């Protein structure tokens, strides 16, 4: 086992394979080759993998195993042993790159720790595709994945992002889209520019652009398909925060069960106002008859 950069390596090779996000024709010749030659193909959905292989005219000769959220931890240990035997393991998810809001991180981490060679086979990504078509600034951006489902946790996450200056990219389930957009409008302002990208590269692809409040109203009627949301970053020097709205936000969080002190701290941080100033304002309003 030769050394590389001071780490012991073996002949095993982990390949993180980017899968098409809508069109099978977007795959590279290298994906065809690696699917045909790999010793093991670990797929998030083995049935979807078989359909993709059929569309590509690829014959998978290696062993196919399932590798999804619920079995990722245990299966990663099994696949590490296969890699340490000097075999090639390919990880492919339903769409996009493994490890990006999809299974793959645990196995990659273990492989790095064991000195196994890790490489990626680039492919389509909903993150960069949505960013490119959004019409929003793309020179600096961050990927935030899925927002928390619980209202309080979601509000805290968004509050922490209120002053994020980079363009933000989120994934969201269609049945939670309207709620998430409304929460973003409350945290970032209803006029903050955004784009909802639906069914990217597919037959019914749609990109809806506008303010967060406007998009939340649109989504309330119901949206279907795979969703990626792109939101413009905070611009320093934006309008002064409405203190009445900040107090109302504190009250809302307290009503949901958040401790008043924590609610004030989170809201103040998100709005860019001194915590003491907001505390004094809340205290006066709650004690004034």
């Amino acid at each position: 086992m030769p050394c590389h950069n001071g780490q012991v390596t073996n002949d095993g090779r982990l390949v993180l394979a980017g899968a098409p996000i809508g069109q099978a024709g977007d795959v590279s010749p290298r994906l065809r080759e690696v699917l045909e030659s790999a010793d093991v193909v670990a797929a998030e959905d083995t049935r979807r993998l078989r359909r993709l292989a059929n569309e590509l005219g690829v014959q998978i000769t290696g062993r196919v195993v399932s590798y999804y959220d619920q079995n990722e931890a245990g299966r990663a240990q099994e696949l590490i042993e296969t890699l340490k035997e000097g075999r090639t393991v390919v990880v492919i998810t339903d769409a996009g790159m493994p490890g990006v809001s999809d299974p793959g991180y645990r196995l990659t981490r273990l492989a790095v720790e064991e000195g196994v060679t890790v490489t990626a086979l680039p492919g389509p990504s909903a993150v960069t595709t949505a960013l490119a078509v959004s019409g929003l600034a793309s020179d600096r951006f961050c990927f935030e994945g899925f927002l928390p489902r619980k209202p309080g946790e979601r509000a805290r996450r968004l509050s922490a992002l209120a002053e994020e200056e980079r363009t933000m990219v989120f994934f969201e389930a269609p049945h939670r889209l309207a709620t998430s957009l409304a929460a973003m409008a409350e945290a970032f302002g209803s006029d903050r520019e955004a784009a909802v990208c639906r069914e990217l590269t597919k037959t019914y692809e749609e990109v809806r652009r506008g303010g967060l409040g406007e998009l939340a109203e649109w989504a309330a009627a119901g949206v279907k398909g795979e969703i990626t949301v792109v939101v413009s970053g905070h611009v320093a020097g934006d309008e002064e925060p409405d203190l009445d709205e900040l107090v109302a936000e504190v009250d809302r969080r307290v009503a949901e069960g958040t401790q008043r002190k924590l609610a004030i701290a989170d809201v103040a941080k998100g709005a860019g106002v001194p915590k003491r100033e907001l505390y004094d304002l809340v205290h006066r309003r709650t004690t004034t008859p």
Side-chain angles (χ1 to χ4, degrees):
M1 294 187 291
C3 291
H4 178 66
N5 291 335
Q7 291 188 338
V8 177
T9 61
N10 55 46
D11 295 331
R13 189 168 67 116
L14 173 62
V15 182
L16 305 174
I21 60 176
Q23 299 290 337
D26 290 340
V27 304
S28 68
R30 286 184 60 209
L31 179 59
R32 299 171 187 269
E33 294 170 6
V34 77
L35 288 177
E36 289 180 332
S37 62
D39 297 300
V40 178
V41 179
E44 184 177 12
D45 186 327
T46 57
R47 291 172 298 180
R48 186 169 295 190
L49 170 65
R50 298 292 188 189
R51 287 198 297 271
L52 176 62
N54 185 59
E55 290 181 35
L56 300 177
V58 169
Q59 181 66 43
I60 299 176
T61 58
R63 182 164 59 98
V64 175
V65 299
S66 62
Y67 184 67
Y68 51 94
D69 289 336
Q70 285 70 30
N71 76 349
E72 183 178 7
R75 184 54 54 83
Q77 293 290 342
E78 173 190 324
L79 292 173
I80 278 294
E81 296 306 314
T82 299
L83 288 162
K84 288 165 67 176
E85 292 171 0
R87 302 184 185 279
T88 296
V89 174
V90 173
V91 174
I92 186 168
T93 57
D94 293 347
M97 182 61 66
V100 181
S101 285
D102 273 331
Y105 166 75
R106 287 185 176 89
L107 179 57
T108 300
R109 187 66 186 172
L110 286 174
V112 170
E113 291 172 355
E114 293 289 343
V116 173
T117 297
V118 179
T119 187
L121 199 165
S125 166
V127 176
T128 52
T129 301
L131 182 66
V133 302
S134 69
L136 301 175
S138 58
D139 54 333
R140 297 177 65 234
F141 72 94
C142 59
F143 174 59
E144 288 295 324
F146 287 91
L147 287 171
R149 298 185 182 186
K150 295 182 179 179
E153 294 178 7
R154 181 171 57 235
R156 285 190 289 275
R157 172 78 65 82
L158 291 173
S159 176
L161 291 171
E163 292 189 70
E164 172 58 64
E165 297 180 355
R166 295 171 294 179
T167 299
M168 297 168 280
V169 183
F170 301 86
F171 285 162
E172 192 50 278
H175 64 279
R176 291 197 298 269
L177 178 62
T179 300
S180 290
L181 288 172
M184 290 179 187
E186 186 171 349
F188 303 154
S190 61
D191 294 331
R192 179 80 72 94
E193 284 189 277
V196 175
C197 305
R198 186 180 72 84
E199 294 289 270
L200 286 169
T201 79
K202 300 177 184 177
T203 302
Y204 299 104
E205 175 180 290
E206 179 182 16
V207 180
R208 191 92 175 192
R209 304 174 181 87
L212 284 167
E214 172 191 345
L215 291 173
E217 291 180 6
W218 163 75
V223 179
K224 295 181 179 180
E226 299 288 334
I227 304 293
T228 306
V229 179
V230 186
V231 182
S232 62
H234 169 76
V235 177
D238 279 351
E239 66 279 357
E240 289 296 318
D242 186 316
L243 295 179
D244 289 335
E245 290 185 1
L246 298 185
V247 172
E249 173 62 12
V250 170
D251 291 341
R252 185 186 67 77
R253 297 192 185 195
V254 171
E256 290 178 351
T258 303
Q259 291 184 348
R260 186 178 301 277
K261 183 177 180 181
L262 179 59
I264 290 172
D266 285 345
V267 173
K269 180 180 178 182
V273 301
K275 182 171 62 175
R276 169 55 62 180
E277 179 182 342
L278 183 57
Y279 174 84
D280 290 342
L281 183 61
V282 170
H283 181 69
R284 286 199 301 272
R285 300 214 178 166
T286 54
T287 57
T288 301

